[in-house]
Amino acid sequence: MLVSAADELPPAWALLNSNESVFGPSRHAKDAARASVSGIGRYPEGADAALARAIAGFHGLDQDRIVVGQGTDDLLARLFRAYLGQGDQLVRSANGYLKVPNYAHANGGEVVSVEDDELTPSVDGMIAAVTGRTRVVYLANPENPAGTYLPKAEVERLHAALPDDVLLILDCAYAEYAWADDYDPGHDLVTTSANVVLCQTFSKLYGLAGARVGWAYGPKDAVDTVRRIGLTFPMAAPSVAAAMAALEDQAHVAFVRKENRALLERFCGRLTRLGVDCVPSQTNFVLVRMPGAAQSESAVVALAERGIRVRRMNSPAYASFFRVSIGLQNELDATASALECHLMEAK
Ligand SMILES: Cc1ncc(COP(=O)(O)O)c(C=O)c1O
């Protein structure tokens, strides 16, 4: 019988590989999901509209310009279906969210990948890459897997340079975590533009990854199109109930935001003292830099042997790195200690 490397690893006790919130959702969200189960014999009539209204109310946005979906991924897939046809070009940053090229290819689109500026999307590079065939420019802000971000002024500069018939998609899956003073997800930019769509999610800071809830804010015609090409009943009732309750529990949001930042800074501080570099992050994960690909691979295996799962990316640009999602303090302390032991053993 063949035994794979994964079979030989001990079971994982620290899952720091998928950027979920280690704090989970608000308990009110779980209660609301549980309570809604009594009604699952019926179609969730109007549930998506109710959630869009709640999101609009909370953020002070126009409800008619919001569409909800099963995670940001669902909305991105629908946006690409609507806006990218055979031979059209998508411009994106080369080492950004890896799922996005698939959505373009699925519609016959061509993917133009622009080299990063030291792990940050290059605004100049993206502007230079736009051609007459470009229909969509995609930017994750903050970016995954780098954790870096573009300041508000840079996003506005990118938008100002785009022709009116090019759609700018801002994927702000980690917006709620970002604390930099010059960061802004771009709600005002969407409000005042006819060609910007912004996506946010309940999967990350709200801790509802398993419920699959995301939303997009954009021009009315774009939002109508995305809604029309979605399912008749696009959202499961318990997921909508959970998201609405989660939105109301801003004390939980504030707690998670504060804890996450403190845990990230403490973890990076410890790694820095070990002589290991962390890429500055505005999210709930951090990219750890090793001297080379072999060292990154052996460190990830050493962590896995201690039951700690972190993520290595396929992209050659990230060969020397691995990504650690921000876990609980004991998980991060164990990760740092395991890495310290591994580095000493490897000397
Ligand atoms: C940048 C980015 N966009 C979108 C997603 C998808 O999130 P969702 O769970 O909302 O589909 C992820 C998930 O990791 C992500 O990192």
Side-chain angles (χ1 to χ4, degrees):
M1 192 180 80
L2 281 176
V3 178
S4 74
D7 291 332
E8 291 164 10
L9 292 171
W13 66 274
L15 291 172
L16 307 182
N17 52 354
S18 288
N19 300 346
E20 294 133 341
S21 169
V22 76
F23 299 102
S26 150
R27 67 186 165 83
H28 300 301
K30 288 189 195 172
D31 290 346
R34 247 181 246 117
S36 90
V37 168
S38 64
I40 55 171
R42 303 238 172 237
Y43 283 115
E45 194 84 54
D48 53 327
L51 178 57
R53 198 177 316 120
I55 292 166
F58 177 73
H59 289 283
L61 306 174
D62 178 356
Q63 175 192 339
D64 292 340
R65 296 181 62 178
I66 290 179
V67 54
V68 297
Q70 292 174 27
T72 325
D73 266 335
D74 170 27
L75 295 160
L76 290 172
R78 281 196 253 166
L79 279 163
F80 280 102
R81 231 162 86 206
Y83 283 91
L84 209 73
Q86 195 72 33
D88 293 340
Q89 285 176 337
L90 156 72
V91 170
R92 54 154 324 233
S93 128
N95 304 310
Y97 185 41
L98 294 171
K99 192 75 190 157
V100 161
N102 295 353
Y103 297 140
H105 290 139
N107 298 292
E110 194 182 297
V111 179
V112 178
S113 296
V114 176
E115 278 315 307
D116 284 347
D117 223 352
E118 296 185 7
L119 298 173
T120 304
S122 164
V123 170
D124 290 328
M126 287 202 268
I127 292 172
V130 171
T131 71
R133 287 201 291 127
T134 307
R135 293 277 73 82
V136 178
V137 172
Y138 166 88
L139 173 74
N141 196 29
E143 183 65 286
N144 175 22
T148 52
Y149 78 102
L150 284 181
K152 181 174 190 251
E154 281 293 274
V155 178
E156 287 172 354
R157 185 165 76 83
L158 171 63
H159 173 250
L162 298 180
D164 292 344
D165 62 351
V166 171
L167 183 74
L168 174 62
I169 299 179
L170 300 173
D171 178 350
C172 300
Y174 300 92
E176 288 87 355
Y177 284 109
W179 54 88
D181 288 342
D182 56 357
Y183 173 77
D184 182 75
H187 294 166
D188 289 349
L189 187 61
V190 177
T191 303
T192 54
S193 312
N195 63 338
V196 187
V197 175
L198 180 153
C199 298
Q200 286 186 232
T201 185
F202 283 84
S203 297
K204 303 300 177 185
L205 188 134
Y206 283 96
L208 286 169
R212 312 305 300 125
V213 185
W215 56 282
Y217 174 53
K220 192 161 178 332
D221 56 343
V223 160
D224 281 343
T225 303
V226 169
R227 201 182 285 125
R228 261 200 303 277
I229 62 174
L231 302 174
T232 315
F233 297 104
M235 308 294 296
S239 298
V240 168
M244 287 178 64
L247 197 59
E248 279 180 19
D249 190 354
Q250 287 299 313
H252 182 74
V253 169
F255 166 77
V256 176
R257 185 185 292 130
K258 184 160 169 271
E259 285 295 307
N260 175 75
R261 182 177 173 187
L263 287 164
L264 184 140
E265 286 174 353
R266 182 187 149 106
F267 178 65
C268 291
R270 185 144 174 220
L271 262 52
T272 305
R273 286 193 293 283
L274 293 177
V276 176
D277 185 27
C278 289
V279 175
S281 169
Q282 289 282 317
T283 65
N284 68 333
F285 58 87
V286 64
L287 209 51
V288 177
R289 191 194 310 259
M290 302 301 285
Q295 290 91 338
S296 158
E297 193 173 350
S298 67
V300 170
V301 171
L303 293 173
E305 283 168 354
R306 290 163 169 90
I308 301 166
R309 297 283 187 275
V310 298
R311 177 81 71 197
R312 260 193 107 221
M313 269 66 59
N314 284 331
S315 158
Y318 291 120
S320 308
F321 296 84
F322 60 88
R323 193 191 69 192
V324 181
S325 304
I326 296 306
L328 295 171
Q329 189 160 312
N330 67 319
E331 296 173 323
L332 294 170
D333 285 351
T335 304
S337 298
L339 193 59
E340 184 171 11
C341 286
H342 170 69
L343 293 176
M344 279 163 66
E345 283 163 14
K347 263 189 189 160

